[in-house]
Structures are given as structure tokens and as C-alpha cells.
Amino acid sequence: MKLVLFDCDGTLVDSANLIHETMRRTFAHFGKPEPRVEDTKAIIGLTLDIAIARMQGKPHADDEAVEMMAYYKTLFAVVRQDLDFKEPLFEGIRELIDAIGPREDLLIGAVTGKSRRGLKLVMETHGFDKYFVVSRTADDCPSKPHPAMVTECCDQTGIEPSDTLVIGDAIYDMQMAKAAGATAIGVAWGYASVDELNKAGADAIIHHPSELLSHIG
């Protein structure tokens, strides 16, 4: 039995435009310079307060970052509805999940910097909630690259980290996987470069979701 844990933003769904627009409106509300798209993409995967602090060059989340995070959360659903952002699946993801979801030798889960509510919306929108049996979000654990999201999923399912694969597009996903003792699989279609993923400790890089099947076995 293996455990396969997917990051969400940048791995399963392309949410960069939605996240950036929400971040742009948040920064404007607080009188901050508008962030670049590249700045937003670089922090996707982190817990929101830490992400917002990093975007301003702060080493840690302060009271202002926490206040901005709270405002961001009130905006997210509004922006999603206003601009009809649906966080589309990346090409090949549906086919992959439909292929591995019913397998009896695998358990599938999610480890994400999204809120619990945000992850639930993605799962229900794309019909994946029937396959994903375990998950940890920003509401449950410390921010990546802390290993808790992975280790808690392992504890819940009874599967060792050595039998666990973490699939993600961010350096934080790779670092989290390695810290937990799991296999780190980087995806080339997300928001970090292949070089960045390799430097962060990726055990392998896949360029299309179908390539994951050879690593699962």
C-alpha cells in the first residue's frame, strides 16, 4: 500500500490568476505597491500570512500580515465569483486521478497551503472528493516546508513516509517531503522551475501527469 499526496495550487489546479488578483486587491486595500505576478507565483504553497510577509520582504509574519491575510480570505470567494475564475485542472490531471483513484493498492490525499474551505471547493468542483481520503491544509498544520502535513497524513492512514509520494510544484513541497522522509516528485507544469525543484531536493521531475504512473508502480 502506498500513499500519494498531492499539492493543490500549481499541481492539480491552475489557480495563479485567481490568487494574484486577490493578492493584488489586498495589497491595494492596505496601500501597498501592487505585487508582480512573479512575486505571487513565488509564494504559492505557503500559508497566507507567511506568504504575504515574504512578498513584502519581511522574514516573519507580523500583525499586519495577519490582518492582510484575514482581508484576503474575505475577498477570495468574491474575486472567484466576480471574474468567474474556476481554478481549472491542468491537462492530464483528471485522467490521472480517474486512473489511480479506484486502485486498492493506493490511498490518495492532499497537502496544501489552501484553507480547508478552499480545498473542499476544489475537490467538490472537480468531483475528486470521492477519491481523496486524507488531507491537511493551512488550517491544520504549520506552513510548508514543515513536515507536519505529510507526517500527519501518514499517521492517519497508517502508511510509513518511506511508502509515501509527495507531488508538488513548489520548492516548499520538495523540502517538506524530504523533511518527512517521503519521496519528492516535482511537476514541471507548475509555478517553480525544474532547476529550482531539483535544487530543493526533488527525487524526480515529471512533465505530464501520466508520467507519475511509472513512479507509483
PDB file of all heavy atoms in Angstrom, residues 105-128:
ATOM      1  N   ASP A 105      -4.493  -0.543  -4.087  1.00  0.00           N
ATOM      2  CA  ASP A 105      -3.157  -0.552  -3.502  1.00  0.00           C
ATOM      3  C   ASP A 105      -2.655   0.859  -3.207  1.00  0.00           C
ATOM      4  O   ASP A 105      -1.512   1.045  -2.793  1.00  0.00           O
ATOM      5  CB  ASP A 105      -2.162  -1.250  -4.435  1.00  0.00           C
ATOM      6  CG  ASP A 105      -2.066  -0.570  -5.795  1.00  0.00           C
ATOM      7  OD1 ASP A 105      -3.052   0.055  -6.222  1.00  0.00           O
ATOM      8  OD2 ASP A 105      -0.994  -0.667  -6.425  1.00  0.00           O
ATOM      9  N   LEU A 106      -3.525   1.870  -3.395  1.00  0.00           N
ATOM     10  CA  LEU A 106      -3.140   3.256  -3.177  1.00  0.00           C
ATOM     11  C   LEU A 106      -4.162   3.990  -2.327  1.00  0.00           C
ATOM     12  O   LEU A 106      -5.357   3.707  -2.384  1.00  0.00           O
ATOM     13  CB  LEU A 106      -3.033   4.004  -4.518  1.00  0.00           C
ATOM     14  CG  LEU A 106      -2.045   3.514  -5.569  1.00  0.00           C
ATOM     15  CD1 LEU A 106      -2.212   4.342  -6.845  1.00  0.00           C
ATOM     16  CD2 LEU A 106      -0.615   3.601  -5.057  1.00  0.00           C
ATOM     17  N   LEU A 107      -3.672   4.942  -1.552  1.00  0.00           N
ATOM     18  CA  LEU A 107      -4.532   5.933  -0.914  1.00  0.00           C
ATOM     19  C   LEU A 107      -4.085   7.296  -1.423  1.00  0.00           C
ATOM     20  O   LEU A 107      -2.887   7.529  -1.604  1.00  0.00           O
ATOM     21  CB  LEU A 107      -4.413   5.867   0.613  1.00  0.00           C
ATOM     22  CG  LEU A 107      -4.933   4.595   1.288  1.00  0.00           C
ATOM     23  CD1 LEU A 107      -4.699   4.673   2.792  1.00  0.00           C
ATOM     24  CD2 LEU A 107      -6.409   4.395   0.990  1.00  0.00           C
ATOM     25  N   ILE A 108      -5.034   8.184  -1.669  1.00  0.00           N
ATOM     26  CA  ILE A 108      -4.733   9.488  -2.232  1.00  0.00           C
ATOM     27  C   ILE A 108      -5.130  10.578  -1.244  1.00  0.00           C
ATOM     28  O   ILE A 108      -6.179  10.504  -0.597  1.00  0.00           O
ATOM     29  CB  ILE A 108      -5.488   9.696  -3.564  1.00  0.00           C
ATOM     30  CG1 ILE A 108      -5.152   8.585  -4.542  1.00  0.00           C
ATOM     31  CG2 ILE A 108      -5.127  11.048  -4.174  1.00  0.00           C
ATOM     32  CD1 ILE A 108      -5.939   8.677  -5.835  1.00  0.00           C
ATOM     33  N   GLY A 109      -4.276  11.595  -1.164  1.00  0.00           N
ATOM     34  CA  GLY A 109      -4.567  12.699  -0.262  1.00  0.00           C
ATOM     35  C   GLY A 109      -4.044  14.016  -0.797  1.00  0.00           C
ATOM     36  O   GLY A 109      -3.417  14.075  -1.852  1.00  0.00           O
ATOM     37  N   ALA A 110      -4.306  15.094  -0.053  1.00  0.00           N
ATOM     38  CA  ALA A 110      -3.874  16.430  -0.430  1.00  0.00           C
ATOM     39  C   ALA A 110      -3.139  17.094   0.725  1.00  0.00           C
ATOM     40  O   ALA A 110      -3.545  16.957   1.887  1.00  0.00           O
ATOM     41  CB  ALA A 110      -5.070  17.285  -0.842  1.00  0.00           C
ATOM     42  N   VAL A 111      -2.072  17.798   0.391  1.00  0.00           N
ATOM     43  CA  VAL A 111      -1.320  18.591   1.369  1.00  0.00           C
ATOM     44  C   VAL A 111      -1.139  19.978   0.750  1.00  0.00           C
ATOM     45  O   VAL A 111      -0.431  20.145  -0.224  1.00  0.00           O
ATOM     46  CB  VAL A 111       0.033  17.945   1.707  1.00  0.00           C
ATOM     47  CG1 VAL A 111      -0.165  16.772   2.658  1.00  0.00           C
ATOM     48  CG2 VAL A 111       0.778  17.458   0.451  1.00  0.00           C
ATOM     49  N   THR A 112      -1.797  20.969   1.304  1.00  0.00           N
ATOM     50  CA  THR A 112      -1.905  22.243   0.608  1.00  0.00           C
ATOM     51  C   THR A 112      -1.882  23.446   1.538  1.00  0.00           C
ATOM     52  O   THR A 112      -2.327  23.366   2.689  1.00  0.00           O
ATOM     53  CB  THR A 112      -3.217  22.280  -0.212  1.00  0.00           C
ATOM     54  OG1 THR A 112      -3.366  23.568  -0.820  1.00  0.00           O
ATOM     55  CG2 THR A 112      -4.433  21.989   0.658  1.00  0.00           C
ATOM     56  N   GLY A 113      -1.371  24.548   0.996  1.00  0.00           N
ATOM     57  CA  GLY A 113      -1.409  25.808   1.718  1.00  0.00           C
ATOM     58  C   GLY A 113      -2.767  26.482   1.650  1.00  0.00           C
ATOM     59  O   GLY A 113      -2.966  27.539   2.242  1.00  0.00           O
ATOM     60  N   LYS A 114      -3.721  25.885   0.924  1.00  0.00           N
ATOM     61  CA  LYS A 114      -5.088  26.397   0.894  1.00  0.00           C
ATOM     62  C   LYS A 114      -5.750  26.241   2.266  1.00  0.00           C
ATOM     63  O   LYS A 114      -5.306  25.455   3.097  1.00  0.00           O
ATOM     64  CB  LYS A 114      -5.923  25.607  -0.114  1.00  0.00           C
ATOM     65  CG  LYS A 114      -5.851  26.087  -1.550  1.00  0.00           C
ATOM     66  CD  LYS A 114      -6.867  25.320  -2.376  1.00  0.00           C
ATOM     67  CE  LYS A 114      -6.945  25.803  -3.803  1.00  0.00           C
ATOM     68  NZ  LYS A 114      -7.271  27.226  -3.967  1.00  0.00           N
ATOM     69  N   SER A 115      -6.813  26.966   2.455  1.00  0.00           N
ATOM     70  CA  SER A 115      -7.660  26.747   3.623  1.00  0.00           C
ATOM     71  C   SER A 115      -8.444  25.448   3.430  1.00  0.00           C
ATOM     72  O   SER A 115      -8.550  24.932   2.309  1.00  0.00           O
ATOM     73  CB  SER A 115      -8.639  27.905   3.803  1.00  0.00           C
ATOM     74  OG  SER A 115      -9.569  27.932   2.718  1.00  0.00           O
ATOM     75  N   ARG A 116      -9.010  24.947   4.491  1.00  0.00           N
ATOM     76  CA  ARG A 116      -9.868  23.764   4.403  1.00  0.00           C
ATOM     77  C   ARG A 116     -11.053  24.035   3.471  1.00  0.00           C
ATOM     78  O   ARG A 116     -11.416  23.198   2.640  1.00  0.00           O
ATOM     79  CB  ARG A 116     -10.356  23.388   5.806  1.00  0.00           C
ATOM     80  CG  ARG A 116     -11.392  22.289   5.892  1.00  0.00           C
ATOM     81  CD  ARG A 116     -10.880  20.954   5.415  1.00  0.00           C
ATOM     82  NE  ARG A 116      -9.705  20.506   6.132  1.00  0.00           N
ATOM     83  CZ  ARG A 116      -9.038  19.400   5.835  1.00  0.00           C
ATOM     84  NH1 ARG A 116      -9.446  18.651   4.816  1.00  0.00           N
ATOM     85  NH2 ARG A 116      -7.970  19.045   6.516  1.00  0.00           N
ATOM     86  N   ARG A 117     -11.618  25.218   3.590  1.00  0.00           N
ATOM     87  CA  ARG A 117     -12.752  25.592   2.744  1.00  0.00           C
ATOM     88  C   ARG A 117     -12.341  25.637   1.276  1.00  0.00           C
ATOM     89  O   ARG A 117     -13.066  25.175   0.395  1.00  0.00           O
ATOM     90  CB  ARG A 117     -13.283  26.956   3.183  1.00  0.00           C
ATOM     91  CG  ARG A 117     -14.444  27.474   2.361  1.00  0.00           C
ATOM     92  CD  ARG A 117     -14.829  28.867   2.817  1.00  0.00           C
ATOM     93  NE  ARG A 117     -15.872  29.447   1.983  1.00  0.00           N
ATOM     94  CZ  ARG A 117     -16.296  30.706   2.085  1.00  0.00           C
ATOM     95  NH1 ARG A 117     -15.766  31.511   2.986  1.00  0.00           N
ATOM     96  NH2 ARG A 117     -17.246  31.159   1.309  1.00  0.00           N
ATOM     97  N   GLY A 118     -11.161  26.202   1.001  1.00  0.00           N
ATOM     98  CA  GLY A 118     -10.690  26.300  -0.376  1.00  0.00           C
ATOM     99  C   GLY A 118     -10.444  24.951  -1.005  1.00  0.00           C
ATOM    100  O   GLY A 118     -10.790  24.710  -2.169  1.00  0.00           O
ATOM    101  N   LEU A 119      -9.839  24.039  -0.239  1.00  0.00           N
ATOM    102  CA  LEU A 119      -9.590  22.697  -0.751  1.00  0.00           C
ATOM    103  C   LEU A 119     -10.900  21.966  -1.011  1.00  0.00           C
ATOM    104  O   LEU A 119     -11.059  21.293  -2.046  1.00  0.00           O
ATOM    105  CB  LEU A 119      -8.732  21.905   0.238  1.00  0.00           C
ATOM    106  CG  LEU A 119      -8.467  20.448  -0.156  1.00  0.00           C
ATOM    107  CD1 LEU A 119      -7.671  20.365  -1.453  1.00  0.00           C
ATOM    108  CD2 LEU A 119      -7.742  19.711   0.980  1.00  0.00           C
ATOM    109  N   LYS A 120     -11.839  22.110  -0.097  1.00  0.00           N
ATOM    110  CA  LYS A 120     -13.145  21.447  -0.249  1.00  0.00           C
ATOM    111  C   LYS A 120     -13.833  21.903  -1.532  1.00  0.00           C
ATOM    112  O   LYS A 120     -14.420  21.094  -2.261  1.00  0.00           O
ATOM    113  CB  LYS A 120     -14.020  21.752   0.966  1.00  0.00           C
ATOM    114  CG  LYS A 120     -15.386  21.050   0.980  1.00  0.00           C
ATOM    115  CD  LYS A 120     -16.092  21.329   2.313  1.00  0.00           C
ATOM    116  CE  LYS A 120     -17.405  20.555   2.420  1.00  0.00           C
ATOM    117  NZ  LYS A 120     -18.434  21.095   1.526  1.00  0.00           N
ATOM    118  N   LEU A 121     -13.737  23.188  -1.825  1.00  0.00           N
ATOM    119  CA  LEU A 121     -14.361  23.734  -3.024  1.00  0.00           C
ATOM    120  C   LEU A 121     -13.743  23.129  -4.284  1.00  0.00           C
ATOM    121  O   LEU A 121     -14.460  22.734  -5.214  1.00  0.00           O
ATOM    122  CB  LEU A 121     -14.219  25.248  -3.046  1.00  0.00           C
ATOM    123  CG  LEU A 121     -14.891  25.980  -4.205  1.00  0.00           C
ATOM    124  CD1 LEU A 121     -16.394  25.719  -4.217  1.00  0.00           C
ATOM    125  CD2 LEU A 121     -14.624  27.485  -4.112  1.00  0.00           C
ATOM    126  N   VAL A 122     -12.411  23.018  -4.306  1.00  0.00           N
ATOM    127  CA  VAL A 122     -11.732  22.419  -5.461  1.00  0.00           C
ATOM    128  C   VAL A 122     -12.128  20.957  -5.616  1.00  0.00           C
ATOM    129  O   VAL A 122     -12.445  20.484  -6.713  1.00  0.00           O
ATOM    130  CB  VAL A 122     -10.203  22.551  -5.332  1.00  0.00           C
ATOM    131  CG1 VAL A 122      -9.492  21.689  -6.378  1.00  0.00           C
ATOM    132  CG2 VAL A 122      -9.775  24.005  -5.492  1.00  0.00           C
ATOM    133  N   MET A 123     -12.116  20.213  -4.518  1.00  0.00           N
ATOM    134  CA  MET A 123     -12.452  18.793  -4.567  1.00  0.00           C
ATOM    135  C   MET A 123     -13.871  18.566  -5.079  1.00  0.00           C
ATOM    136  O   MET A 123     -14.121  17.697  -5.921  1.00  0.00           O
ATOM    137  CB  MET A 123     -12.288  18.163  -3.173  1.00  0.00           C
ATOM    138  CG  MET A 123     -10.868  18.097  -2.657  1.00  0.00           C
ATOM    139  SD  MET A 123      -9.827  16.903  -3.535  1.00  0.00           S
ATOM    140  CE  MET A 123      -8.752  18.017  -4.434  1.00  0.00           C
ATOM    141  N   GLU A 124     -14.802  19.371  -4.567  1.00  0.00           N
ATOM    142  CA  GLU A 124     -16.206  19.206  -4.969  1.00  0.00           C
ATOM    143  C   GLU A 124     -16.438  19.680  -6.403  1.00  0.00           C
ATOM    144  O   GLU A 124     -17.188  19.047  -7.154  1.00  0.00           O
ATOM    145  CB  GLU A 124     -17.111  19.967  -4.004  1.00  0.00           C
ATOM    146  CG  GLU A 124     -17.159  19.357  -2.610  1.00  0.00           C
ATOM    147  CD  GLU A 124     -18.034  20.140  -1.658  1.00  0.00           C
ATOM    148  OE1 GLU A 124     -18.435  21.282  -2.012  1.00  0.00           O
ATOM    149  OE2 GLU A 124     -18.311  19.636  -0.556  1.00  0.00           O
ATOM    150  N   THR A 125     -15.787  20.771  -6.783  1.00  0.00           N
ATOM    151  CA  THR A 125     -15.953  21.306  -8.142  1.00  0.00           C
ATOM    152  C   THR A 125     -15.544  20.290  -9.190  1.00  0.00           C
ATOM    153  O   THR A 125     -16.207  20.121 -10.220  1.00  0.00           O
ATOM    154  CB  THR A 125     -15.127  22.598  -8.316  1.00  0.00           C
ATOM    155  OG1 THR A 125     -15.632  23.603  -7.435  1.00  0.00           O
ATOM    156  CG2 THR A 125     -15.203  23.105  -9.763  1.00  0.00           C
ATOM    157  N   HIS A 126     -14.441  19.584  -8.918  1.00  0.00           N
ATOM    158  CA  HIS A 126     -13.906  18.652  -9.911  1.00  0.00           C
ATOM    159  C   HIS A 126     -14.257  17.190  -9.625  1.00  0.00           C
ATOM    160  O   HIS A 126     -13.792  16.294 -10.334  1.00  0.00           O
ATOM    161  CB  HIS A 126     -12.392  18.836 -10.014  1.00  0.00           C
ATOM    162  CG  HIS A 126     -11.997  20.205 -10.507  1.00  0.00           C
ATOM    163  ND1 HIS A 126     -12.252  20.620 -11.797  1.00  0.00           N
ATOM    164  CD2 HIS A 126     -11.399  21.254  -9.881  1.00  0.00           C
ATOM    165  CE1 HIS A 126     -11.812  21.856 -11.950  1.00  0.00           C
ATOM    166  NE2 HIS A 126     -11.298  22.273 -10.809  1.00  0.00           N
ATOM    167  N   GLY A 127     -15.056  16.946  -8.593  1.00  0.00           N
ATOM    168  CA  GLY A 127     -15.505  15.593  -8.309  1.00  0.00           C
ATOM    169  C   GLY A 127     -14.431  14.680  -7.754  1.00  0.00           C
ATOM    170  O   GLY A 127     -14.503  13.459  -7.910  1.00  0.00           O
ATOM    171  N   PHE A 128     -13.428  15.254  -7.087  1.00  0.00           N
ATOM    172  CA  PHE A 128     -12.319  14.461  -6.562  1.00  0.00           C
ATOM    173  C   PHE A 128     -12.523  14.041  -5.109  1.00  0.00           C
ATOM    174  O   PHE A 128     -11.743  13.257  -4.570  1.00  0.00           O
ATOM    175  CB  PHE A 128     -11.003  15.245  -6.669  1.00  0.00           C
ATOM    176  CG  PHE A 128     -10.460  15.373  -8.069  1.00  0.00           C
ATOM    177  CD1 PHE A 128      -9.431  16.251  -8.335  1.00  0.00           C
ATOM    178  CD2 PHE A 128     -10.986  14.622  -9.115  1.00  0.00           C
ATOM    179  CE1 PHE A 128      -8.918  16.368  -9.627  1.00  0.00           C
ATOM    180  CE2 PHE A 128     -10.489  14.733 -10.409  1.00  0.00           C
ATOM    181  CZ  PHE A 128      -9.448  15.616 -10.660  1.00  0.00           C
TER     182      PHE A 128
END
